[in-house]
Amino acid sequence: MSEEPEEKSESGAPVYRYDPDQVEQGFQPARGEEHIEAIADHIEEHIGPVESVFHEVVSEIVHVDVHIVAPTADYPFYTLVTSGMSDLPMTAPQGYEDYRHAEVYLQLPADWPLKDQDVMQQEEYYWPIRWLKIIARFPHTYHTFIAFGHTIPNGEEAAPLGPGTELGCVMAVSGGPFPEEFDVLPLEDGTLIHFYQLVPLYAAEMNLKLNKGMEALMDKFDEYDISDAIDPQRVNTCAKKRSFFSRW
């Protein structure tokens, strides 16, 4: 999947399609985390102290942990950042060799019940973490890559990412709310780890981005003042407006 496909969206962006039959069968044990300390230090330098880590007990392909930074005055939301995705290089197209290693992150509202283990077992609250892990394994599972502007729907129909929401797609972006230095972590061996923010989208928003380009979608987000923190029931910036007619 490293070559650019012939199928294009209306905006000219390549469209990749993934067949479950491409996935290697059988359990693939994960490698040990190689960059966890460097990533943790990077998070604390640019965002804030890591309050806790969701450690995986059983991992496949890569061992994905989720580092949690509590809300601060500068960033009044929880920040969740993966480590482990970057332990394997992604299958990137020619010319993108410096983009083969990545991690992903997202923000959750300050009142998200992350500290309540019983509540967090409910899919209504766990699905953002589940999708962090899904996207962290996605490029390794399908032998592809993730970079700025890529959108990944939940199936062909962009089904809801979890209960209690109609958001059905995630988009990878960079240049989020943190200092620019956070976007890339250079390692001593020359490896560059890129950090991408995952932004959940409605299917209509994904289609706007595919058809009109990234700038058109960002203009919509600016128009509706969409927050960095995930709101499962936020306004759909591309929802069709109803027309009302008076009868005489």
Side-chain angles (χ1 to χ4, degrees), residues 99-160:
Y99 293 84
R100 292 182 300 169
H101 297 268
E103 298 289 349
V104 289
Y105 67 95
L106 54 76
Q107 287 84 37
L108 291 174
D111 60 355
W112 204 269
L114 282 170
K115 296 182 180 180
D116 191 325
Q117 295 185 3
D118 292 334
V119 173
M120 284 303 298
Q121 290 181 5
Q122 301 174 28
E123 191 64 18
E124 178 181 357
Y125 298 103
Y126 185 72
W127 67 261
I129 299 173
R130 184 180 304 283
W131 275 93
L132 269 178
K133 292 172 176 284
I134 288 172
I135 299 303
R137 288 192 173 87
F138 182 84
H140 306 308
T141 300
Y142 289 98
H143 308 291
T144 184
F145 78 117
I146 290 174
F148 174 81
H150 286 189
T151 50
I152 303 98
N154 185 16
E156 287 288 337
E157 303 300 322

Side-chain angles (χ1 to χ4, degrees), residues 1-5 16-26 28 60-61 85 88-94 100 134-146 150:
M1 296 303 297
S2 60
E3 296 182 358
E4 189 169 295
Y16 297 86
R17 297 189 182 276
Y18 303 98
D19 186 342
D21 291 338
Q22 296 173 319
V23 180
E24 296 181 23
Q25 301 300 313
Q28 302 173 60
E60 185 173 9
I61 305 178
M85 176 182 178
L88 292 177
M90 298 184 289
T91 308
Q94 185 175 1
R100 292 182 300 169
I134 288 172
I135 299 303
R137 288 192 173 87
F138 182 84
H140 306 308
T141 300
Y142 289 98
H143 308 291
T144 184
F145 78 117
I146 290 174
H150 286 189

Side-chain angles (χ1 to χ4, degrees), residues 64-225:
V64 180
D65 287 335
V66 178
H67 302 249
I68 301 173
V69 179
T72 66
D74 291 331
Y75 309 115
F77 39 69
Y78 281 106
T79 302
L80 284 67
V81 188
T82 65
S83 65
M85 176 182 178
S86 60
D87 283 349
L88 292 177
M90 298 184 289
T91 308
Q94 185 175 1
Y96 286 82
E97 288 80 9
D98 286 344
Y99 293 84
R100 292 182 300 169
H101 297 268
E103 298 289 349
V104 289
Y105 67 95
L106 54 76
Q107 287 84 37
L108 291 174
D111 60 355
W112 204 269
L114 282 170
K115 296 182 180 180
D116 191 325
Q117 295 185 3
D118 292 334
V119 173
M120 284 303 298
Q121 290 181 5
Q122 301 174 28
E123 191 64 18
E124 178 181 357
Y125 298 103
Y126 185 72
W127 67 261
I129 299 173
R130 184 180 304 283
W131 275 93
L132 269 178
K133 292 172 176 284
I134 288 172
I135 299 303
R137 288 192 173 87
F138 182 84
H140 306 308
T141 300
Y142 289 98
H143 308 291
T144 184
F145 78 117
I146 290 174
F148 174 81
H150 286 189
T151 50
I152 303 98
N154 185 16
E156 287 288 337
E157 303 300 322
L161 299 175
T165 187
E166 292 301 318
L167 295 161
C169 171
V170 291
M171 176 175 64
V173 300
S174 54
F178 308 123
E180 182 179 352
E181 292 78 10
F182 176 69
D183 290 346
V184 182
L185 166 60
L187 300 179
E188 292 183 358
D189 63 1
T191 298
L192 300 178
I193 299 178
H194 295 261
F195 290 80
Y196 296 108
Q197 179 184 4
L198 297 185
V199 179
L201 304 178
Y202 291 100
E205 294 172 334
M206 177 185 69
N207 290 333
L208 174 67
K209 182 263 177 184
L210 291 174
N211 296 331
K212 302 298 183 182
M214 190 76 163
E215 186 175 351
L217 178 58
M218 291 299 97
D219 287 345
K220 283 288 188 180
F221 273 35
D222 289 340
E223 178 184 349
Y224 286 87
D225 194 23

